[in-house]
Amino acid sequence: MKIMSVVGARPNFMKISPIIRAIDSYNNQLNISEAAAGDKTSNLISHVLVHTGQHYDKAMSDSFFEDLKIPMPDISLGVGSGTHASQAAEIMKRFEPVLLDQQPDVMIVVGDVNSTAACALVAAKIDYDGTGRRPLIAHVEAGLRSFDRSMPEEINRIVTDHLSDLLFVTERSGIENLKREGVPEEKIFFVGNTMIDTLMASRELATRSNALGSLGLVAQNGGSAGMVLPYALLTLHRPSNVDNRETFLEVMSALQTVSEKMPVIFPVHPRTRKQIAAFRIGECIGLHYSAPVVPDGGGKVSMNGAGGIHITDPLGYLDFLCLMTHAKIVLTDSGGIQEETTCLGVPCVTIRENTERPVTVTNGTNMLCGLERQSIIDTVNLQLNRSKPGSGPELWDGNAASRIIAVIAGGR
Ligand code: UD1
């Protein structure tokens, strides 16, 4: 069997990494059992990795391949940035000949980025040989719904789910959403969360990160020398938060108030960096620019527990995981970070009106606060006094990827 997996943007990489490992261990198991039976290996899975190039900066792409030990892509489409339509169109144009050439039996797409939907659309209409033969489309992280169609990701989720043959779901809400939309039950598989597989496999490695020291978050003097100082960790990149000056300023003004209590560490996405400059946010909100996080701890700055909003470049996976693990609180508009903080038991405030991941609120450590200044401040205060860590969502146990490969290899 031949499987092709597609990645394109930063949140795809941690979802595909355990799937590639699960394919390797499936093949190893098969080799062992077939060798023991004196059988010739015939059912091995061959794997082809395609990178669309939606994200292309070292910090947004290459560093994740290094941190997560993902093999280099077999095929890179190099599409780069663009409007939604031009980016999706470029992906489709470049992906079609690759699919026709490779003719995989199964194509795996993950998450909800433009690359996910664009490649699913190509695969759904391809005809390998004039007989209508095409790959089975497997969507990992199916069924999530924010019920907010102004989010580009919601459109990508709906389109991808309705084109897919195998829908792998991370939480029970996904099953209900898909059934309500008429997706046949036999296509839906509740397997857990491959992003959490990666987190669990990486926690030990992340303890070796020098991010805390590099950012001056370790006390240098006195009785508490060596202890991690309290800090908040922030990410913001959704168009709904950063593409409108008034909204962006309202959110940042709340975060400035939060930063009077403790430093707010803010690794900025390229989109957000552009908007900070375009809207001259730094003229209204005090922003400090921190030296890059480097493995040897060079460029060390000491915050000595001082407040303020501290901007860094986007961080690698292991450095960010280290910072999430030790944060007093995480503030974000990302989808995946809501899940990761739930798994780590770290309080999370989601700066959005809705979430497509309700299990992080009902079972986890997440609270929604909307985009209003006072509501953001109040929710942060509530979360800082939170005592209950939340319980881990069902099947978020580090084994989602092997369940997915078992379903695919089992012929379903
Ligand atoms: C995309 C996903 C979003 C995901 C996010 C994670 C879609 C619709 N959105 O949003 O769901 O949460 O990735 O990061 O697919 N840029 C660079 N370097 C890069 C990549 C982007 O400078 O390596 C800049 C470009 O100016 C680009 C902008 O960032 O126009 C936005 O990139 P894009 O891929 O369009 O969307 P994201 O906001 O990153």
Side-chain angles (χ1 to χ4, degrees), residues 202-411:
S202 307
R203 286 189 77 169
E204 169 62 30
L205 268 180
T207 61
R208 295 183 217 158
S209 157
N210 190 45
L212 293 166
S214 212
L215 288 166
L217 295 168
V218 180
Q220 301 290 313
N221 314 309
S224 54
M227 280 170 63
V228 178
L229 298 165
Y231 65 91
L233 181 62
L234 167 69
T235 79
L236 273 186
H237 72 278
R238 297 250 158 248
S240 52
N241 280 344
V242 304
D243 282 4
N244 174 288
R245 183 168 196 270
E246 210 178 309
T247 309
F248 194 8
L249 264 180
E250 168 110 3
V251 169
M252 289 304 288
S253 134
L255 298 169
Q256 187 166 36
T257 302
V258 171
S259 80
E260 286 162 12
K261 278 194 212 299
M262 62 181 94
V264 173
I265 310 299
F266 185 14
V268 279
H269 184 283
R271 163 198 287 284
T272 311
R273 186 176 285 273
K274 275 188 204 155
Q275 300 300 58
I276 288 173
F279 295 152
R280 297 169 181 264
I281 299 290
E283 289 175 13
C284 310
I285 309 285
L287 299 175
H288 309 274
Y289 286 83
S290 292
V293 170
V294 286
D296 63 2
K300 191 176 277 188
V301 283
S302 182
M303 291 185 198
N304 292 323
I309 299 176
H310 299 262
I311 289 190
T312 76
D313 286 338
L315 296 174
Y317 180 78
L318 296 172
D319 288 335
F320 192 77
L321 176 52
C322 171
L323 287 186
M324 265 193 302
T325 307
H326 293 280
K328 280 275 169 250
I329 190 160
V330 174
L331 304 127
T332 192
D333 60 4
S334 145
I337 292 171
Q338 298 171 49
E339 299 183 332
E340 290 170 332
T341 46
T342 271
C343 181
L344 294 168
V346 173
C348 178
V349 172
T350 296
I351 308 174
R352 284 175 47 190
E353 305 286 358
N354 51 52
T355 179
E356 61 287 339
R357 292 158 158 94
V359 79
T360 62
V361 176
T362 54
N363 293 38
T365 57
N366 188 22
M367 273 183 88
L368 297 175
C369 68
L371 309 185
E372 278 167 22
R373 181 186 141 75
Q374 198 53 47
S375 164
I376 297 173
I377 295 168
D378 292 346
T379 312
V380 168
N381 288 335
L382 259 176
Q383 285 284 65
L384 283 172
N385 295 318
R386 180 187 189 112
S387 54
K388 193 170 129 275
S391 62
E394 208 179 339
L395 296 185
W396 290 17
D397 58 1
N399 298 314
S402 47
R403 292 189 191 101
I404 289 169
I405 295 306
V407 170
I408 291 175

